[in-house]
Amino acid sequence: MSDTNFVILYVDKPPASAAFYSALLQRPPVESSPTFALFALDSGLMLGLWSRHTVEPAAAGRGGASELAFTVADAEALNRRHVDWSLRGLPILQPPTDMDFGRTFVALDPDGHRLRVFAPAQQEAAAEPQAASLAST
């Protein structure tokens, strides 16, 4: 059985995207060339940035059709990340918002890839309605 451990984003200018992600992730790429950069994340995921002009077969899509998600511990950490990314000049597509899965916001990278940050909803709050419905049956 194989394991999925790479995500590759097709980018216009890999060196510029590598600089963007180096600052965002606070780490240098583990591999870098004019057409590709690779980051090793703490989770074990490898994030590749490949030139949309040299990938074979040619990529048909553009950024914005999928998301790279970042989990944070809580709403306070999410709000701090939102302020940080806003001060860095990242376009914010969705401001901090409470949704059914937790608190979230969405920013864009230079190629229009969506970067979702979220703090999962507290498990206790999600478990209470289930416990109440079980008790009434």
Side-chain angles (χ1 to χ4, degrees), residues 103-129:
R103 188 156 178 83
T104 187
F105 76 90
V106 177
L108 299 175
D109 79 0
D111 291 279
H113 297 290
R114 295 165 62 129
L115 307 173
R116 180 176 298 277
V117 178
F118 72 99
Q122 296 298 319
Q123 294 298 334
E124 306 84 54
E128 287 175 8

Side-chain angles (χ1 to χ4, degrees), residues 22-131:
S22 285
L24 195 70
L25 301 171
Q26 300 180 337
R27 69 186 67 215
V30 295
E31 181 182 329
S32 184
S33 75
T35 61
F36 185 79
L38 182 67
F39 291 86
L41 306 182
D42 292 339
S43 66
L45 182 73
M46 304 296 279
L47 173 62
L49 307 170
W50 196 346
S51 170
R52 75 173 72 256
H53 309 289
T54 62
V55 65
E56 291 183 25
R62 290 275 194 208
S66 59
E67 297 181 347
L68 189 58
F70 300 82
T71 306
V72 294
D74 54 34
E76 185 178 317
L78 180 131
N79 293 334
R80 285 192 308 269
R81 180 81 51 97
H82 176 258
V83 168
D84 177 53
W85 287 12
S86 295
L87 291 173
R88 290 173 188 254
L90 275 71
I92 303 298
L93 186 62
Q94 178 186 38
T97 304
D98 291 320
M99 298 185 75
D100 58 347
F101 56 84
R103 188 156 178 83
T104 187
F105 76 90
V106 177
L108 299 175
D109 79 0
D111 291 279
H113 297 290
R114 295 165 62 129
L115 307 173
R116 180 176 298 277
V117 178
F118 72 99
Q122 296 298 319
Q123 294 298 334
E124 306 84 54
E128 287 175 8
Q130 289 178 341

Side-chain angles (χ1 to χ4, degrees), residues 3-7 44-47:
D3 195 15
T4 302
N5 57 2
F6 274 79
V7 171
L45 182 73
M46 304 296 279
L47 173 62

